[in-house]
């Protein structure tokens, strides 16, 4: 297979652009960027811009933003991959003072976050910024990349929901706790969610068409125009957006509110029973354990809510107004996507701050290569 020149891709894109703009107004080109619609940052439009083609979305303010965003995504990739790998290794060893059930959820969350970093940040953002037009743009690979992004994002979000629900049951539902909060249940729940979201995203593979055929090889993948017009596809897209992240957003807020309320009520009752309301100081191991669980739960779910909030606000803004983006609104949309991807890097930092045993394990892991090097060097020098 010979190497395809940018001029050929640009020529094909110049023919394709009027059709795309006829089917997809400017606002929908932006709205469906993550699904494969061409814009100023897709590989084809980048190739065309280098040939002097004009794309309606290419505006000076946005390009200034992109010059900053490309650096930020590189930082997210450089940090996100190692911190999630470290979290998976440390948590899998089971020496962090957490129950096996909790550990399973946290390992699954770290694995899903790592997959998002690879699929969304590396294979999409860094690919389009630093390595435009290569084998990743072959139509089959392009579709697989888009499906992988969908599945990994769904799993990352819903694994957070399952962890939140598990902590709610462990803290608030003592009778159900012994049956639900087990290693086997956690494995079954996580496996079921993974399989369901893989099946849910299979139909999206049929919403794409090839971009260009050059030397009998299909390049790029675009959404079919029918995706925005046929009721079945429109309904599937709406269901997908409600399922991730709108329902998780509401469920996590609700479960956290119920958990905090239960802990406050229980804490007040236990203090009255132990006479602490009269000035006595008695340690309560049960409440200390619940307090640590609550801190971990609230920091993880709170981080998720804060970093996804911009994305959710952007979704509702478009649903209410239906207006095309101006420059500032478009940048707000892009910042929402950036923060959403940043959420895949924060959990390990939260473990370090809130979990002393995890912190000890991480320090030991960082020290290990250095101490091993010194052990190797000392005999050689002496």
């Amino acid at each position: 297979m010979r190497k395809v020149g940018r001029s050929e891709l640009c020529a094909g894109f110049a023919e394709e652009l009027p059709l795309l703009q006829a089917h997809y107004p400017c606002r929908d080109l932006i709205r469906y960027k993550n699904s494969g619609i061409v814009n100023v940052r897709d590989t084809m439009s980048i190739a065309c811009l280098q040939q002097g083609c004009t794309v309606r979305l290419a505006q000076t303010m946005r390009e200034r933003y992109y010059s900053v965003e490309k650096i930020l995504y590189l930082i997210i990739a450089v940090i996100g991959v190692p911190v999630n790998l470290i979290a998976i290794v440390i948590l899998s060893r089971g020496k962090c003072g957490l129950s096996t059930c909790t550990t399973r959820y946290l390992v699954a969350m770290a694995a899903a976050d790592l997959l998002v970093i690879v699929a969304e940040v590396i294979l999409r953002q860094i690919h389009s910024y630093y390595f435009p037009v290569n084998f990743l743009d072959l139509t089959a690979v392009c579709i697989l990349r888009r499906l992988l992004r969908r599945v990994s994002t769904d799993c990352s979000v819903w694994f957070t929901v399952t962890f939140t629900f598990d902590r709610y049951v462990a803290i608030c539902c003592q009778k159900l706790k012994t049956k639900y909060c087990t290693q086997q249940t956690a494995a079954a729940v996580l496996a079921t969610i993974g399989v369901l979201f893989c099946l849910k995203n299979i139909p999206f593979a049929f919403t794409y068409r090839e971009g260009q055929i050059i030397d009998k090889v299909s390049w790029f993948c675009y959404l079919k125009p029918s995706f925005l017009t046929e009721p079945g596809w429109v309904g599937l897209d709406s269901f997908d957006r409600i399922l991730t992240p709108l329902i998780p957003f509401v469920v996590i807020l609700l479960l956290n509110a119920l958990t905090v309320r239960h802990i406050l009520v229980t804490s007040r009752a236990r203090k009255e029973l132990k006479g602490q309301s009269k000035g006595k100081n008695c340690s309560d191991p049960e409440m200390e354990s619940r307090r640590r669980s609550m801190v971990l739960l609230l920091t993880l779910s709170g981080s998720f809510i804060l970093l996804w909030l911009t994305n959710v606000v952007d979704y509702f803004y478009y649903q209410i107004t239906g207006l095309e983006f101006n420059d500032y609104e478009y940048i707000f949309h892009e910042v929402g996507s950036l923060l959403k991807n940043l959420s895949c890097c924060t959990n390990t930092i939260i473990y370090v701050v809130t979990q002393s045993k995890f912190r000890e394990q991480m320090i030991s892991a960082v020290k290990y290569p250095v101490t091993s090097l010194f052990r190797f060097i000392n005999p050689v020098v002496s």
Side-chain angles (χ1 to χ4, degrees), residues 200-232:
K200 188 270 288 185
N201 285 292
I202 288 176
F204 286 100
F206 302 98
T207 63
Y208 297 102
R209 61 182 178 85
E210 60 193 14
Q212 296 294 321
I213 298 179
I214 301 175
D215 288 346
K216 299 181 180 180
V217 177
S218 299
W219 289 85
F220 306 103
C221 53
Y222 303 152
L223 277 174
K224 296 176 182 177
S226 59
F227 183 72
L228 295 179
T229 57
E230 291 186 3

Side-chain angles (χ1 to χ4, degrees), residues 88-101:
I88 291 171
V89 172
I90 292 177
L91 290 169
S92 298
R93 298 178 66 189
K95 298 181 179 180
C96 297
L98 301 169
S99 66
T100 55
C101 177

